[in-house]
Amino acid sequence: MTGTDFSEWLRGRSDERLRALVAARPELVTPVPAHIDGLAARACSPSAIGRALDRLDRFSLAVLETLALLPGPATRETLLPPLRRAVPDDQDDEAVGAALDAALDLLTTRALAYECEGALLPAPGVADALEPPAALGPPAAEVFRHHAPERLDVLLRDVDPAYEDGAQADGRERLAALLAEPTTVGRLLDEVSPQARTALDGLVWGPATGRLPNARREVDTASAQSPIEELLARGLLGATGEETVALPREVALVLRDGRVHRDLSPGPPALDGAVRDQDLADRTAAGQAFTFVRTVEELCEVWSVDPPGVLRAGGLAVRDLRRTAQLLDLPEWAAGLVVEVAHAAGLVAAGEGEWLPTGGYDGWRIKATEDRWAVLARAWAAMERAPGLIGERDDRDRPLNALHPDLRRPGAAQTRARTLAVLESAPPGLAPTPESVLARLAWEQPRRRPALRDRLVRFALREAEHIGVTGLGVPSSHGRAVARGDDTAASLLGPLLPEPVDHVLLQADLTAVAPGPLTTGLGRRLALMADVESKGGATVYRFGEQSVRRALDAGHSADDLLAVLERHSATPVPQPLRYLVTDVARRHGRIRVGAASAYIRCDDPALLDEVLADKRAHLLRLRRLAPTVLASKTSRAALVDSLRAMGYAPVAESLEGDVVVARADARRTEGQLTARVTANTAPDPEVIDAAVRAIRAGDARRTPVDAPEGEVPHSPSTTTISALREAIRQGTRVWIGYRDSQGHATSRILEPARIEGGFLTAYDETRATVHRFALHRITGIGEIGR
């Protein structure tokens, strides 16, 4: 069978089947092939086959491997027996047959297998991509390829008593044929010791290779001294290198006794784990979702005031991550997750050497809590980064920092999506164990690298619990919506969230107790004038001189602060708190710092005398310009910080003498909230339909490169140009005839873009590139039927 047979089979498929092929293998239409032969060639390329095989489940892959190994044309009836032998006895024949039918339909839909003259065949290139299939070793002809003719004669004499030296033109083919006979292999096994048989059994189900010092030493049945040499002398093993041996594929298939695979399940393994109340799990997950949203908001607020620096190689320094984890009261891995998700959602970005909130954060923070969580959850599900690797070291022993480019893993989003899909399939109330999730994914995609995949899956399960996709290990209702990629996650989460409160309980010990989650406005005001002392069911804030001064620096007066407290307190404002606010406000701003390099001015000369007399002011190099003015070469910001460290409460002022308001939320960098993202890479149905129509149209109009006269469109030049202008206006494709510089007529499928200077600029679908065509060489134009 040839590639032409495969192309003709593909050409005979219905449009519905072609659309199913494109949906399952979208890389085949990027860009859209010009015709069916182009589609067939792309489908059989090694890279495309590899991606398609990676998407197969274990049973479908086993069916394809069996199809590739069966000698001669195969049918459903010849495939069923070896598969049935590999399936446990508790599976009935009807279930195995149904699973085989479903697998064959999947393989033909994805063009990994096709039908030709009533037989099933693997698509061209599939057998090579599967090599070695089913953990088998190389064929005997490959194992003994480098054996000298004299050595083959010795082997053949030991394997076949009736063999005569030189009787066979090709000893390798004769040896391979003998080793494929069960009677010959059985006789040879009867001649070896039990130790040799045990060693052979260890290679039957893979791996089929081993190491042996001096493997190429020539031995025969008489001189064999060890179990391995017994096998080498009889051709049951073959030396493939100086220190390597391999079990020939033919021998392994005989020893497998009609089975290609050792054990096989026609369906995925069931998920197991503890069963919990689904409503309790939903409420628990909602609490975690609420906490995660507030944590992201707290991160952005902290970085607004004190942004960490961007490392030269990109990313966040280890010390900055530790400091952020302490501020957020989280372990470092959870703080890294918060940082990464905020970055993936477009809430933080690098700007002028610092990590800052973006302009998109301001729009995000005014949304409802459930909508904010939905943005974060979608960003987490689709990001191509692995936050769980933060703190580990790369191949060059360099640490992997948060937000570093090296945290990107191409399979992270797909693995996370597959993990969420497994969780979504769990029965209500079931908390699947990580082991059962890993077993399910190993069955669904057996060709994926298990080491990296298993780590990414465990990361995803841990992160899903922290974000609120799962609660108590059980997939939540809003988490299932995220896994499905629909828009109901926010509406499902909303009723489960606690109602925000707009009041606090002020106490005489300078603390305020928030009996629940505060409204966004009150939360921001309280965070500005007080520090969080403890979190839990109720959050405790503590007022202090520094926190009150922070609010005054942001432009608020003492009356503003007391008015906010009186309006939002369920208890009267305690007298100690009033004294604290008024006392800090009375001292706030008595000293003014400006830019001279910097200067200090104060209406009270005695206070400036006190500053000059302070030994700690020596490094500020102060000089008195007037009774109420001191000058310094220190910068304004450094001068303000130094005076505050000395116990004073200065404020900065502009060149005009106005107070410079230091708003905590004023620092932003460029960036907007990310648009909705999804890990699903399948194209839209409209795109699939358009691609299939284009392929059919190109196939119908296809002509050879040196097309004879009359097989390309012909029309008057005025008609051609008018039709091209109309196609540009409507955005439609056209079919043109074109003569190249040698006068050869070709047929092209184009998407015209513009006409200028005697040239047509268009996207050439038959060449998958943008090209300029001379108008005088276009022979004519024709429409593409839909």
Side-chain angles (χ1 to χ4, degrees), residues 237-433:
L237 285 182
T240 55
E242 294 298 331
E243 295 185 351
T244 56
V245 295
L247 175 65
R249 180 172 299 177
E250 292 83 352
V251 176
L253 288 174
V254 171
L255 294 176
R256 291 185 180 188
D257 192 24
R259 287 186 294 170
V260 174
H261 300 84
R262 189 172 194 172
D263 52 65
L264 198 59
S265 172
L271 297 173
D272 57 19
V275 178
R276 298 185 171 94
D277 181 70
Q278 183 65 51
D279 292 337
L280 176 61
D282 286 345
R283 293 194 299 271
T284 303
Q288 293 162 183
F290 177 83
T291 302
F292 188 77
V293 170
R294 287 300 173 96
T295 304
V296 171
E297 184 178 6
E298 185 178 352
L299 169 78
C300 294
E301 293 297 327
V302 169
W303 283 11
S304 295
V305 180
D306 187 14
V310 179
L311 295 175
R312 181 179 303 176
L316 185 69
V318 174
R319 65 178 180 276
D320 289 327
L321 178 62
R322 289 174 181 166
R323 184 166 61 91
T324 301
Q326 291 175 353
L327 291 172
L328 300 179
D329 194 22
L330 292 174
E332 286 189 25
W333 73 265
L337 174 64
V338 171
V339 169
E340 287 286 344
V341 173
H343 180 260
L347 303 181
V348 297
E352 298 183 0
E354 295 177 323
W355 291 105
L356 289 165
T358 66
Y361 166 67
D362 295 309
W364 173 82
R365 69 182 179 182
I366 63 175
K367 296 175 179 287
T369 302
E370 57 268 26
D371 293 323
R372 288 189 284 169
W373 181 83
V375 171
L376 298 175
R378 287 197 297 262
W380 166 76
M383 67 181 184
E384 291 278 0
R385 297 172 62 79
L389 297 176
I390 295 173
E392 299 187 5
R393 308 190 79 83
D394 62 12
D395 297 337
R396 289 179 284 183
D397 199 36
R398 297 179 305 181
L400 292 171
N401 296 339
L403 301 176
H404 195 279
D406 289 346
L407 278 184
R408 184 180 181 276
R409 293 294 183 274
Q414 186 181 29
T415 301
R416 198 177 294 112
R418 295 301 309 164
T419 303
L420 290 176
V422 171
L423 293 176
E424 200 272 335
S425 67
L430 178 68
T433 62

Side-chain angles (χ1 to χ4, degrees), residues 570-581:
T571 58
V573 178
Q575 192 175 49
L577 181 55
R578 286 185 180 274
Y579 285 164
L580 174 67
V581 174

Side-chain angles (χ1 to χ4, degrees), residues 72 85 89 181 214 227 263 265 283 311 373 377 402 471 481 487 498 512 552 573 607 658 719 755:
R85 294 189 184 98
D89 294 336
E181 297 177 1
N214 198 16
D263 52 65
S265 172
R283 293 194 299 271
L311 295 175
W373 181 83
D487 296 321
L552 296 172
V573 178
L607 185 56
D658 299 324
T719 303
I755 295 177

Side-chain angles (χ1 to χ4, degrees), residues 314-676:
L316 185 69
V318 174
R319 65 178 180 276
D320 289 327
L321 178 62
R322 289 174 181 166
R323 184 166 61 91
T324 301
Q326 291 175 353
L327 291 172
L328 300 179
D329 194 22
L330 292 174
E332 286 189 25
W333 73 265
L337 174 64
V338 171
V339 169
E340 287 286 344
V341 173
H343 180 260
L347 303 181
V348 297
E352 298 183 0
E354 295 177 323
W355 291 105
L356 289 165
T358 66
Y361 166 67
D362 295 309
W364 173 82
R365 69 182 179 182
I366 63 175
K367 296 175 179 287
T369 302
E370 57 268 26
D371 293 323
R372 288 189 284 169
W373 181 83
V375 171
L376 298 175
R378 287 197 297 262
W380 166 76
M383 67 181 184
E384 291 278 0
R385 297 172 62 79
L389 297 176
I390 295 173
E392 299 187 5
R393 308 190 79 83
D394 62 12
D395 297 337
R396 289 179 284 183
D397 199 36
R398 297 179 305 181
L400 292 171
N401 296 339
L403 301 176
H404 195 279
D406 289 346
L407 278 184
R408 184 180 181 276
R409 293 294 183 274
Q414 186 181 29
T415 301
R416 198 177 294 112
R418 295 301 309 164
T419 303
L420 290 176
V422 171
L423 293 176
E424 200 272 335
S425 67
L430 178 68
T433 62
E435 290 71 22
S436 66
V437 174
L438 291 172
R440 171 69 68 87
L441 290 174
W443 186 90
E444 290 182 350
Q445 295 180 331
R447 282 171 54 94
R448 297 286 184 183
R449 288 187 299 167
L452 178 59
R453 179 193 62 205
D454 291 358
R455 295 195 66 200
L456 292 177
V457 169
R458 292 185 183 276
F459 290 155
L461 292 174
R462 180 178 67 175
E463 293 163 6
E465 186 75 14
H466 188 78
I467 289 175
V469 172
T470 60
L472 303 175
V474 178
S476 62
S477 57
H478 50 277
R480 293 175 186 270
V482 172
R484 295 191 300 268
D486 58 32
D487 296 321
T488 62
S491 60
L492 292 172
L493 175 62
L496 301 172
L497 293 174
E499 287 292 333
V501 298
D502 62 352
H503 65 275
V504 294
L505 304 175
L506 296 177
Q507 302 184 106
D509 61 350
L510 300 181
T511 60
V513 179
L518 298 176
T519 59
T520 301
L522 178 58
R524 288 175 56 80
R525 293 188 186 96
L526 201 57
L528 186 62
M529 66 179 73
D531 297 318
V532 176
E533 188 170 79
S534 65
K535 298 179 181 179
T539 304
V540 178
Y541 295 85
R542 176 165 294 279
F543 296 90
E545 182 176 341
Q546 183 179 1
S547 65
V548 172
R549 188 173 64 230
R550 181 172 67 230
L552 296 172
D553 286 342
H556 298 285
S557 66
D559 292 338
D560 294 337
L561 301 183
L562 291 174
V564 169
L565 295 176
E566 290 172 351
R567 186 166 59 251
H568 294 285
S569 176
T571 58
V573 178
Q575 192 175 49
L577 181 55
R578 286 185 180 274
Y579 285 164
L580 174 67
V581 174
T582 55
D583 183 59
V584 174
R586 179 179 55 81
R587 293 183 288 112
H588 186 265
R590 291 182 64 193
I591 293 179
R592 303 276 180 115
V593 176
S597 209
Y599 64 83
I600 303 175
R601 72 178 181 88
C602 179
D603 295 335
D604 185 358
L607 185 56
L608 293 186
D609 292 339
E610 181 182 336
V611 172
L612 284 172
D614 197 318
K615 293 181 179 180
R616 293 173 294 178
H618 176 69
L619 296 177
L620 299 179
R621 302 175 65 183
L622 298 174
R623 184 168 62 91
R624 196 161 203 151
L625 300 180
T628 59
V629 180
L630 299 179
S632 173
K633 292 186 177 180
T634 308
S635 67
R636 182 174 64 186
L639 193 53
V640 169
D641 292 340
S642 298
L643 290 172
R644 285 178 176 171
M646 293 164 60
Y648 301 100
V651 295
E653 71 177 13
S654 67
L655 293 176
E656 293 77 18
D658 299 324
V659 175
V660 177
V661 176
R663 290 187 58 82
D665 58 350
R667 301 198 61 187
R668 294 289 183 267
T669 188
E670 293 183 1
Q672 296 296 325
L673 196 65
T674 55
R676 176 171 181 176

